Structures are given as structure tokens and as C-alpha cells.
Amino acid sequence: MSKLKILSVVGARPNFMKIAPIHRAFSNRQEIKSKILHTGQHYDEKMSDIFFNQLELPKPDFYLGIGGGSHTYQKANVMLKFEEILQEEKPDVVLVVGDVNATAACSIVAVKMGIRTAHVEAGLRSGDRSMPEEINRIITDAICDLLFVTEQSGMINLAKEGVPDHKVHFVGNVMIDSLTHYREKARKVDVLQFLGVASRSYMLMTMHRPHNVDNVEGLRSIIEIIRNATKHKSVLFAIHPRTSNNMKKFGLEEELKGIQDLILLEPQGYLEFLQLMDNAALIITDSGGIQEETTFLQVPCMTFRDSTERPVTVELGTNYLMNDLNPETVRIQMEKILNGESKTGIIPPLWDGKAAERIADILLT
Ligand code: UD1
């Protein structure tokens, strides 16, 4: 019997921890031949290579080397190069994850070529079409053949959009598969020791959404929020290339670096960041995935967005949506959390480390 050939696509940092458990589950099935394609949207050691190493992913079978650039440039190039690879490779299934540019670009090409295409983390909607990720989600879900969903809101959104039931499967969260698989290993890395910080003695921060960091007002508010936060605890800021480039561009780099009790970090590896999240008193972010990881870890999280595509993290988890970067509103909420007035949350249904196995089962039926 010939094997089911599945080509899984990764492009940017948040994809790597989602594909790792999927590739592992596929590789454990004799009936599946699993290959990986990396578009190269994130390309440097700290944004990409370290994740492949730590998550025990093999070197990608295909690398498109797209790099940065406008979203149109990235997508158009991915589409041209991906089409050539599909013509050669002829997989039975193309699998895409999340909501980055690779997700939408590769699903369009695969579906047009008549290849069965699966989207993992389907159905999430923020309702905010100014976010590039929201457009990527809508496009991808509208055309894929199989939709794997992480939380109840995804099932409801897809039903509202008229997606037939037979395409949709509630399987849980593959990012949590990675977290449960590597949590023990992450406890053994020495990042806390190296930074000289004790468990719960610091707040951890990430910030990279264009809405927050592509304008000088947003960057100034971030600096103010950090200043207020350091009155309570040290702040560890794992700074994304987009954000550090913009701090430089707007002449704010020195001001940021001058804040006492702020420790600026380069983008962290998966294990290091997991240890940092697991031991933080509070996480301040605008990321998508961190909202879910903190909910699972039951660490309070303040998310600088006025909507979330992951409402379960607010309803059941430890996430608080902060509508804007107003330093005063942020200070009040932060103090409440640090004074112990924060929700402990519960872990959402099927976030149990077995989502990738469920996906493999469904693809083989
Ligand atoms: C992308 C994703 C976003 C995800 C984020 C996490 C889309 C639309 N957005 O946004 O969903 O949350 O990744 O990291 O796909 N850069 C480097 N080195 C790298 C990668 C990027 O210096 O390895 C630079 C780029 O050249 C660019 C900037 O960082 O100047 C932003 O990268 P880009 O891929 O445009 O989007 P992200 O903001 O990372």
C-alpha cells in the first residue's frame, strides 16, 4: 500500500512549535510520509534555526528563502515557488498551520492545484480585519478541505460562515502538545540562573504587532508602561526584530535602554522562553500564541489588543485584554494582578497534549 504523502508548511516563528508535534505524530505512523517545507519568512538563527534544533525538527525538505519584505511581496514569491514544488512533489495532502503569510499563500496554491488541504488552528476570528493575520485566517478557512479547530469559538465561527460540518474537527491545540512535551526539558535550561532572576520576581514582555510598534505613540506608551512596571518588579523584554528596528528608527533606543530594572533580551529559544513564561509573575504581550500558553501554564497575561481571536483564554483562562496602551489603565490592572487579584483560570477542553495524534487519525480515515 502506498503511503499518504503529507507536506506541512512553516513560515514564521509561531508555526514551528505547531508543526513539531504534527511531524512527530505523522512520523510515528507507518502509513504516512511526512515532509516539511519552510518558506523562510523568518530566517535568522534566533527567529528560526534554534526552533528547529530545540523542537527536534529535521532540516526542512524544501526551503524557499523568501525573507522579509511587504506582505504582498512575501506572498507572491511564496506562491510562485510553492507551485513549482507541488508540481514536482505531488503530495496527497498539504497541511498549513496558524495565520501567517505562508498559511494563506500556500493554501491558495495547493487548493487551486486540486490537492487536499488541511488548516490547523482553523476558525479563530478576532473580528479585526486591519490585522494581517485575520485576513490570512479568513482566506485559508474559506478554501481548505479540512479544518482542525482548537477551541469552541472556532466551531461557532465556522458554522456561522456556512462551512459544512463534515470539514470541521475539534481536535485541541497542537501548540499545547509542544508545551506539554517540552515543559520538563525547559525546566532544566539555565536562563533564569543566567539572568540572575528568581521565579515570580519578574514580568516578561513581548510586543511586535504593527498596530503597537509601527508608530511612535505606541512605542512611547510601551516605554512608559515598562517604566511603571519596573517600580514593582524587573521586566524582561524579549524584543522582536520589528520592534527593535522601530525603536531605532524613531530614535527611542537609548531611552528604552536607559530604564533601570529592564533587561532587554534578544528573541529567545523555545525552551528558554517556556522557562521564562512558566516562572513569570505576569506576562505582558500582544502575541497570539502566548495568550494560549499562559492560559495553560495558569500565569496571568495582559494582552495589548482590543480583540482576541482566542476568546477562550479570556473566558476560561488567565488572559486580560487591554484595549489600548494607556499607561494609567495598564498600571491599575497590573497592580491588581500583582496584589493577587488575578484569575487562576482553567485549562480549555482538549488542550491535553494529544491534538496532533487526533489530526493524524482523522487524516488516515
Ligand atoms: C509574523 C507574523 C505574525 C507572528 C509573528 C511572530 C504574518 C502576517 N505575521 O509577524 O503573525 O505573530 O511573525 O514572530 O505572517 N525579521 C528579522 N529576522 C527574522 C524575521 C524577521 O529581522 O528572522 C524582520 C523582517 O525582516 C521584518 C520584521 O522582522 O523587518 C518583521 O517580520 P515579518 O515577517 O514581516 O512579520 P512579523 O512582525 O514577524
Side-chain angles (χ1 to χ4, degrees):
M1 203 189 75
S2 69
K3 292 190 176 200
L4 186 73
K5 265 171 81 172
I6 306 180
L7 181 60
S8 301
V9 173
V10 293
R13 184 170 60 177
N15 292 162
F16 307 135
M17 53 293 250
K18 294 171 192 165
I19 286 296
I22 293 174
H23 178 72
R24 196 168 50 244
F26 288 176
S27 302
N28 288 336
R29 309 286 176 117
Q30 280 191 343
E31 311 92 311
I32 297 180
K33 173 84 192 134
S34 172
K35 289 196 180 180
I36 295 176
L37 177 138
H38 187 350
T39 66
Q41 176 179 343
H42 287 176
Y43 45 87
D44 59 36
E45 156 67 22
K46 295 211 156 57
M47 296 295 284
S48 177
D49 299 355
I50 191 170
F51 290 87
F52 272 78
N53 293 333
Q54 293 191 342
L55 295 162
E56 299 162 288
L57 276 164
K59 197 169 164 294
D61 300 276
F62 306 95
Y63 185 74
L64 305 187
I66 296 305
S70 78
H71 289 181
T72 307
Y73 171 91
Q74 288 182 11
K75 283 200 178 106
N77 270 315
V78 166
M79 288 175 76
L80 290 170
K81 293 189 177 178
F82 192 53
E83 182 177 45
E84 279 176 24
I85 288 179
L86 291 186
Q87 272 158 355
E88 280 284 303
E89 188 59 20
K90 301 190 173 49
D92 301 303
V93 177
V94 165
L95 182 144
V96 298
V97 291
D99 54 17
V100 302
N101 293 326
T103 313
C106 292
S107 57
I108 292 172
V109 177
V111 169
K112 281 287 274 181
M113 290 175 74
I115 299 168
R116 203 170 161 223
T117 305
H119 181 209
V120 175
E121 204 182 89
L124 298 181
R125 296 288 180 271
S126 68
D128 176 358
R129 290 196 179 199
S130 71
M131 285 175 72
E133 293 81 1
E134 181 77 349
I135 304 298
N136 290 338
R137 292 179 201 115
I138 293 169
I139 293 173
T140 308
D141 287 341
I143 60 177
C144 279
D145 304 291
L146 272 170
L147 300 170
F148 295 115
V149 177
T150 52
E151 64 165 81
Q152 194 57 34
S153 74
M155 302 297 286
I156 296 168
N157 293 332
L158 293 172
K160 267 198 234 155
E161 289 171 18
V163 177
D165 286 352
H166 68 89
K167 286 187 168 187
V168 182
H169 302 270
F170 182 33
V171 292
N173 192 327
V174 288
M175 201 176 52
I176 303 302
D177 290 7
S178 269
L179 194 159
T180 55
H181 190 80
Y182 286 107
R183 193 175 187 184
E184 214 31 64
K185 207 168 176 185
R187 290 199 171 113
K188 300 194 178 103
V189 296
D190 64 358
V191 60
L192 286 190
Q193 209 183 359
F194 177 77
L195 295 170
V197 290
S199 184
R200 314 291 169 217
S201 74
Y202 62 91
M203 295 181 234
L204 178 65
M205 180 158 177
T206 80
M207 209 58 74
H208 76 276
R209 295 268 159 219
H211 179 75
N212 290 332
V213 307
D214 282 3
N215 58 84
V216 71
E217 299 77 27
L219 293 172
R220 278 194 201 290
S221 299
I222 291 168
I223 290 179
E224 192 56 32
I225 288 164
I226 298 175
R227 263 211 199 90
N228 287 336
T230 54
K231 290 178 190 147
H232 301 280
K233 285 183 188 285
S234 309
V235 174
L236 310 189
F237 187 6
I239 196 159
H240 185 285
R242 174 186 286 277
T243 311
S244 56
N245 291 342
N246 285 339
M247 286 282 179
K248 278 191 205 113
K249 186 169 130 195
F250 291 107
L252 294 169
E253 197 187 13
E254 291 311 311
E255 199 177 334
L256 179 73
K257 283 186 174 161
I259 303 176
Q260 267 204 353
D261 290 322
L262 166 67
I263 305 177
L264 277 177
L265 304 172
E266 299 209 301
Q268 295 292 296
Y270 181 73
L271 297 175
E272 288 78 9
F273 198 73
L274 182 48
Q275 185 182 79
L276 289 172
M277 284 195 290
D278 213 356
N279 289 281
L282 165 64
I283 302 195
I284 302 172
T285 191
D286 60 3
S287 150
I290 292 173
Q291 301 174 61
E292 295 183 340
E293 290 168 324
T294 48
T295 276
F296 185 87
L297 296 170
Q298 299 181 296
V299 171
C301 178
M302 286 166 67
T303 301
F304 286 96
R305 308 224 331 239
D306 49 21
S307 58
T308 179
E309 63 287 346
R310 295 163 159 92
V312 77
T313 61
V314 176
E315 287 153 15
L316 299 186
T318 53
N319 190 20
Y320 297 84
L321 277 191
M322 305 304 300
N323 290 337
D324 55 33
L325 288 168
N326 181 327
E328 190 49 22
T329 334
V330 175
R331 187 185 63 75
I332 294 168
Q333 182 61 54
M334 184 183 294
E335 284 175 5
K336 274 195 192 158
I337 294 174
L338 294 177
N339 287 333
E341 292 170 45
S342 65
K343 41 189 184 182
T344 43
I346 57 165
I347 295 170
L350 297 190
W351 290 19
D352 57 1
K354 297 183 186 127
E357 294 296 339
R358 293 188 190 100
I359 291 170
D361 287 342
I362 293 164
L363 286 168
L364 286 171
T365 51

